[in-house]
Amino acid sequence: MKSSAAAHPNIAFIKYWGNLDHDLRLPANGSISMTLGGLQTRTTVEFDPDLSQDSFILDGAQAAQESLRRVSQQLDLIRSLAGFPYKARVQSENSFPAGTGIASSASGFAALTVAACAAAELELPPKELSRLARRASGSASRSIFGGFVEWHKASTDEGSYAEQLAPADHWSLVDWVAVVDEEEKEVGSSQGHRLADTSPLQEARISSAAGRLTATRQAILSQDFATLARFAELDSDMMHAVMMTSNPPLHYWRPTTVEVMQRIRRLRSQGIPVFYTLDAGPNPHCLCPEDRAEIVQEALLKIPGVRRLLRAEPGGPARVLSEAD
Ligand code: PMV
């Protein structure tokens, strides 16, 4: 009753921010992302009838109580589907450092869900794995799939899951994550989603999301970089406008964050195809076609507040690992 799985994080072009139902994590709007190959979480789950409680080792250390609680909650869902009560040992490692603007909850909960289902001998199709992963972390529903992914909004648990829009080899994009601040964020996304409705701008963001989703989906399918850039930046700025105007407000940007955003816009006005997008943190993701990756890298490294860059490309789906992996 032991299995291991690996999953990549993802970066959203159209963001998930706010829920229709917080317990079921039914999102207020659909979202679209790219799975980030080159960065991954590996997780091993072992159910053991002799254990009296779950345990969770994260990056070699005992995980915080709150992380263990979320892992146990997810294992409870899988235990009830499998029809057994056994507790589990969970061990997880990230290939990327925490606090770098890469959402480890997406890759972490996708890998946990896939490993736990395999250990419980539950054979679920990817769509069902995506629904299950969604319960632990919304963005994890997207990390079940590789390449370019859309997660659907729905008013029921059955209807809200992610699907692949295009595989990883559809489009050679590079994502440079400009690390400007490595401190753990004060307000995590689970808490942040609960604040979204306190912003007077959330309603406008949600009611206009369908148009941005359609434009972004089309832009990905037709490899229209300029349109993708326009809508991804707009959507990221809109999410941060909601964050900044919620009660209490969430301000994730730092001075260097704004410098990077301005530099990216300037590069674009000079004819270099590139755009930024930010999750719930200060570290911009800067995306460009692979053949422009070096120019963008050089420009970002010239900004004094940029501490380092992480590189990612479209990656594959979450998968069960064999002994050989
Ligand atoms: O899946 P969560 O609850 O960690 O929320 C993710 C929220 C953002 O990263 C800010 C946006 C997104 O769609 O990934």
Side-chain angles (χ1 to χ4, degrees):
M1 299 192 92
K2 179 176 177 180
S3 280
S4 299
H8 300 299
N10 64 77
I11 180 66
F13 298 149
I14 299 298
K15 308 291 186 183
Y16 152 53
W17 196 248
N19 288 315
L20 293 177
D21 181 317
H22 291 295
D23 292 332
L24 288 174
R25 287 184 205 270
L26 297 175
N29 63 283
S31 53
I32 292 180
S33 60
M34 182 178 103
T35 301
L36 299 177
L39 310 167
Q40 72 169 6
T41 304
R42 294 170 75 104
T43 300
T44 300
V45 176
E46 182 175 19
F47 291 107
D48 182 342
D50 294 334
L51 290 177
S52 60
Q53 53 188 23
D54 294 322
S55 65
F56 180 29
I57 305 285
L58 176 59
D59 290 329
Q62 206 77 247
Q65 204 54 36
E66 172 57 15
S67 305
L68 173 62
R69 190 193 62 76
R70 279 180 77 180
V71 164
S72 284
Q73 213 171 27
Q74 186 67 356
L75 292 175
D76 285 344
L77 286 178
I78 291 157
R79 282 187 276 253
S80 79
L81 282 175
F84 64 64
Y86 312 138
K87 302 294 184 194
R89 266 182 288 274
V90 179
Q91 217 174 333
S92 191
E93 266 150 43
N94 293 318
S95 75
F96 49 93
T100 47
I102 307 275
S104 59
S105 64
S107 51
F109 284 112
L112 175 75
T113 303
V114 170
C117 286
E121 289 173 18
L122 281 171
E123 283 180 25
L124 300 179
K127 176 178 151 183
E128 297 305 317
L129 288 169
S130 172
R131 270 182 58 215
L132 255 184
R134 187 201 81 224
R135 299 287 296 276
S137 160
S139 54
S141 70
R142 300 186 308 240
S143 274
I144 294 295
F145 297 94
F148 300 84
V149 181
E150 178 162 5
W151 169 25
H152 304 291
K153 167 192 170 173
S155 55
T156 60
D157 176 33
E158 290 72 31
S160 187
Y161 52 85
E163 281 180 304
Q164 187 178 67
L165 285 175
D169 63 4
H170 168 68
W171 203 359
S172 299
L173 298 180
V174 167
D175 177 10
W176 290 111
V177 187
V179 180
V180 307
D181 185 338
E182 305 199 29
E183 273 175 37
E184 283 290 332
K185 55 192 171 199
E186 283 162 33
V187 178
S189 43
S190 289
Q191 220 180 323
H193 292 297
R194 292 178 182 270
L195 298 179
D197 284 332
T198 66
S199 164
L201 305 185
Q202 174 73 344
E203 207 180 300
R205 194 185 77 85
I206 297 302
S207 64
S208 58
R212 292 191 300 285
L213 282 163
T214 303
T216 301
R217 195 184 304 122
Q218 288 307 330
I220 289 171
L221 294 177
S222 61
Q223 299 181 12
D224 174 352
F225 191 88
T227 303
L228 176 63
R230 181 168 147 227
F231 284 95
E233 273 188 12
L234 171 65
D235 195 83
S236 173
D237 287 351
M238 285 180 87
M239 179 181 73
H240 282 268
V242 167
M243 290 165 162
M244 287 179 204
T245 51
S246 65
N247 182 18
L250 299 173
H251 285 259
Y252 288 110
W253 297 355
R254 301 282 172 271
T256 312
T257 310
V258 179
E259 257 182 79
V260 171
M261 293 160 90
Q262 285 173 338
R263 187 77 188 101
I264 292 296
R265 284 179 190 277
R266 215 173 323 130
L267 284 172
R268 205 163 56 237
S269 70
Q270 291 162 0
I272 296 164
V274 59
F275 68 88
Y276 64 75
T277 179
L278 283 102
D279 279 344
N283 302 316
H285 290 239
C286 305
L287 286 108
C288 62
E290 194 182 17
D291 60 359
R292 305 304 177 97
E294 274 179 30
I295 303 176
V296 173
Q297 179 188 28
E298 275 168 31
L300 290 171
L301 287 174
K302 279 190 193 137
I303 301 172
V306 172
R307 295 167 180 226
R308 57 187 163 134
L309 298 178
L310 298 180
R311 181 186 163 120
E313 285 156 30
R319 63 193 179 99
V320 176
L321 297 173
S322 64
E323 293 285 326
D325 279 302

